[in-house]
Structures are given as structure tokens and as C-alpha cells.
Amino acid sequence: NQALMDLGAAVCLPNGKPLCDRCPAAGFCTAKRDGKQALLPVREKKKEKREVRLTLFIMKKEDGTAALRQRPDTGLLAGLWEYPHVPGRLTEEQAAQQLRTWGLTAHRWLRQMEARHLFTHIRWDMTGYLVQVEGRGPEDWLWADGAIRARLAVPSAFEKFTRALPAEGE
């Protein structure tokens, strides 16, 4: 099997013109016999990525801490840390309502940001609100200062939002 894969890579050249005159399998190659060398291998079309819209909350307090929560132990980005978010794209008014649902009060809306992250099978289109808040939020949230956040594993999908925190003077 390995020899056939090597032959395909070195002689059949899927991204170029095949070198059939150098091929030791030319005598019994059905693609050469049928004149279909240029048509093979048949490549499957890439599947369209599933689009997921998220609204992220980059919430900070006056003491410089920001809210993070840990992702579940299974699934996409298992066990990593993330900014709290909800499905869909919320307006600022809807986002304020979501903060109240979490038991938080928004003091200052600092910035709205957009970001996109591509996984192999999913595209995240994210709207993020950088907002100064007061309150605790759900029990599973960690309010971490910059030093703690730097030690936690926050996925690169959230990099733009992570960079927004120090940019605001932390």
C-alpha cells in the first residue's frame, strides 16, 4: 500500500501532468489504458462550513478582572477557557438584557467588535461587546486579572477579543 501511495505521489502527480512513461505500473494501469490519467483522482468537493453566529461578552470590572468560563470537557475546544457568549447576534439592547439575566449591571459600553474564526467544519461569526460591569455572574465564571488570563488556555478563536482587554488600559 505504501509503495502505491509513493508511486501516486512521485509519478501520477495529482497536481501536475502524470509521468506515465516512467511508471512501472503503466502496463496494467487502467487509467492509462482508458486515457483518463488527467481525470484521476476524482476529488470530492469540500463541504460548506456550517456557520455559527455568537455574541461574546468581554466583561471587565474596575479592579481589572475579566470574566472567563471553562468549556466542557468534551467537544470543540474541550476544557479551554472562553469569554461568556450566547448563540446569535445580539443588538446592544439585547446584550444589555442578557447581562441583566446573568445578574450583571453594565456601567460602560466600551467597544463593539467583529471577528471570524474558521475551523475545518465550522465558521464562527462573532460579535463581541467589551463592557465594564458590576456583579458576580454565574457561579462557574472566573474573574481573572491579566496575569491569570495569560496563564489560562484561551483559544486563538478569541484572540481579537483578548487583545481588546489590555488595549483598554489594563
Side-chain angles (χ1 to χ4, degrees):
N1 285 342
Q2 184 63 46
L4 285 175
M5 291 187 333
D6 290 345
L7 187 65
V11 177
C12 298
L13 303 177
N15 293 323
K17 186 176 181 202
L19 306 173
C20 296
D21 57 327
R22 298 183 193 167
C23 183
F28 56 88
C29 176
T30 56
K32 182 174 178 10
R33 182 193 69 211
D34 297 343
K36 295 185 177 180
Q37 308 93 304
L39 303 176
L40 299 173
V42 176
R43 298 188 187 273
E44 290 185 26
K45 282 188 169 184
K46 289 185 178 182
K47 289 183 181 179
E48 190 68 28
K49 292 181 189 315
R50 182 170 54 96
E51 182 178 311
V52 175
R53 290 193 173 275
L54 300 171
T55 299
L56 273 74
F57 294 85
I58 305 88
M59 296 170 283
K60 60 184 251 173
K61 293 185 178 182
E62 285 206 19
D63 64 3
T65 60
L68 292 169
R69 66 181 179 194
Q70 195 165 25
R71 293 184 62 84
D73 289 335
T74 59
L76 186 65
L77 305 174
L80 300 180
W81 291 85
E82 65 183 359
Y83 300 101
H85 61 268
V86 295
R89 181 185 170 116
L90 303 184
T91 65
E92 191 172 309
E93 183 178 313
Q94 292 167 325
Q97 176 57 44
Q98 180 63 53
L99 290 174
R100 288 190 293 275
T101 301
W102 285 329
L104 300 167
T105 303
H107 283 288
R108 286 185 28 215
W109 294 87
L110 302 168
R111 192 178 344 165
Q112 180 179 342
M113 298 168 282
E114 303 291 328
R116 173 177 283 170
H117 189 79
L118 300 175
F119 297 94
T120 56
H121 60 298
I122 298 174
R123 181 179 73 229
W124 279 2
D125 286 316
M126 300 173 281
T127 299
Y129 290 104
L130 179 61
V131 59
Q132 188 172 350
V133 297
E134 186 177 293
R136 291 227 9 98
E139 288 295 316
D140 63 337
W141 287 9
L142 171 67
W143 290 90
D145 63 20
I148 293 172
R149 287 193 312 271
R151 291 193 308 263
L152 296 176
V154 177
S156 63
F158 305 118
E159 184 177 345
K160 181 175 184 177
F161 305 106
T162 299
R163 284 193 320 258
L165 286 167
E168 293 298 326
E170 280 192 24

